[in-house]
């Protein structure tokens, strides 16, 4: 079992980072603990619900000399298991409130709730876009495997985009963006220029931008709009969902925008050679980088997000093929 790694930025920035262990390829997720003036604390993004993460949290609170009953609130940037997963477990232990955007709550219900449809709908979408049946079946099993990581699910008190979020004795502006996850909240404090940006902007890693059935139909457009919005802020230091806190936030948003423009050009070049399925484009774009079902699922969703954007920009078209499948074609 790995322990949580604690890094205090309390003197300089008023927060403590708790690096919570999670599965590869990411290996860790950043939680942020913000001490409140009344001796309690607020926690941003608790991590996935696994035995290892539970143990890591018990150990971390002990090291920090904090008891669970001091937990005032959990704020969640987005509904992905590695950020949202432990929120319900913490609420059950402490009765704390759990806050995320209403859109993120709706996505959580669609992905993990009683009326969850994603487990069936995503493999169906992938089949329609040419993924071989055995691989699509693997994706279905893979999705089912996430359920324990988000149970139990919390009662949510929604974050309103028009209202400040108070935590760590300070007032933070919530910025809701899409593309990586609908309803993703970044928290920005204008006075200090600090931002807790979840997975909206990451250093080194390009956040996954994925098309999912029943969700945002233009995730890349949403993601790029979010990068432009966030890139316009005066940020002194960014605290991301994975990897190390970083500076040069605006430059990072520009480099991610460039990366996606290049990838759109790559996909358009592939289609210039003749009609292709989404799966064929995925294989060509991510060749050699898909080592697991997890990576395949994200690569396929990302390829489809890029193809949807090419269609929106009228650089590609969609044609029906045999057996209910579809292909993408280049448009001059
Ligand atoms: Zn995420
Ligand atoms: Zn994440």
């Amino acid at each position: 079992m790995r322990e949580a790694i604690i890094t205090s930025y309390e003197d300089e920035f008023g927060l403590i980072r708790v690096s919570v262990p999670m599965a590869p390829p990411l290996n860790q997720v950043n939680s942020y603990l913000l001490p409140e003036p009344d001796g309690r604390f607020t926690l941003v993004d608790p991590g996935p619900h696994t035995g290892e993460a539970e143990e890591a949290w018990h150990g971390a609170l002990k090291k920090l000399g904090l008891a669970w009953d001091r937990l005032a609130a959990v704020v969640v940037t987005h509904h992905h298991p590695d950020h949202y997963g432990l929120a319900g477990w913490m609420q059950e232990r402490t009765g704390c409130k759990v806050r995320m955007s209403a859109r993120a709550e709706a996505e959580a219900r669609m992905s993990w709730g009683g009326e969850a449809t994603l487990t069936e709908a995503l493999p169906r979408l992938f089949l329609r876009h040419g993924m071989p049946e055995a691989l699509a079946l693997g994706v279905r099993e893979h999705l089912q495997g996430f359920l324990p990581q988000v149970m139990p699910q919390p009662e949510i008190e929604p974050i309103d985009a028009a209202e400040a979020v108070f935590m760590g004795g300070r007032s933070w502006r919530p910025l809701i963006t899409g593309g990586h996850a609908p309803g993703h909240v970044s928290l920005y404090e204008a006075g200090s220029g600090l931002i807790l940006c979840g997975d909206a902007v990451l250093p080194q890693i390009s956040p996954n931008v994925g098309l999912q059935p029943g969700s945002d139909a233009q995730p890349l457009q949403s993601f790029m709009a979010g990068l432009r919005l966030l890139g316009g802020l005066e940020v002194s230091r960014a605290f991301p969902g994975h990897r190390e806190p970083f500076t040069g936030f605006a430059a990072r948003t520009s480099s991610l925008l460039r990366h996606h423009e290049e990838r759109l050009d790559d996909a358009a070049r592939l289609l210039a050679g003749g009609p292709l399925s989404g799966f064929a484009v995925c294989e060509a774009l991510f060749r050699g980088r898909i080592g697991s079902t997890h990576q395949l699922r994200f690569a396929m969703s990302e390829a489809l997000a890029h193809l949807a954007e090419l269609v929106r920009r009228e650089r590609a078209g969609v044609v029906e093929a045999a057996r209910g499948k579809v292909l993408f074609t280049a448009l001059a």
Side-chain angles (χ1 to χ4, degrees), residues 183-198:
H184 183 295
V185 176
S186 297
L187 296 141
Y188 174 65
E189 203 216 1
S192 59
L194 300 187
I195 191 165
L196 301 172
C197 53

Side-chain angles (χ1 to χ4, degrees), residues 1 12 24 28 68 82-84 95 99 138 150 153 161 168 187 197 242 263 267 271 291 295 305:
M1 287 244 184
E12 208 178 344
Q28 64 81 236
W68 279 112
D82 53 332
H83 299 256
Y84 161 80
R99 305 199 64 194
V150 294
Q153 300 207 52
L187 296 141
C197 53
H242 304 275
R263 176 126 321 148
L271 297 183
Q295 283 159 318

Side-chain angles (χ1 to χ4, degrees), residues 22 26 28-29 45 77-78 80-83 180 198-199 202 241-242:
M22 66 174 275
L26 289 170
Q28 64 81 236
V29 57
D45 283 356
T77 58
H78 63 298
H80 290 164
D82 53 332
H83 299 256
H180 173 72
D199 288 354
L202 293 172
H242 304 275

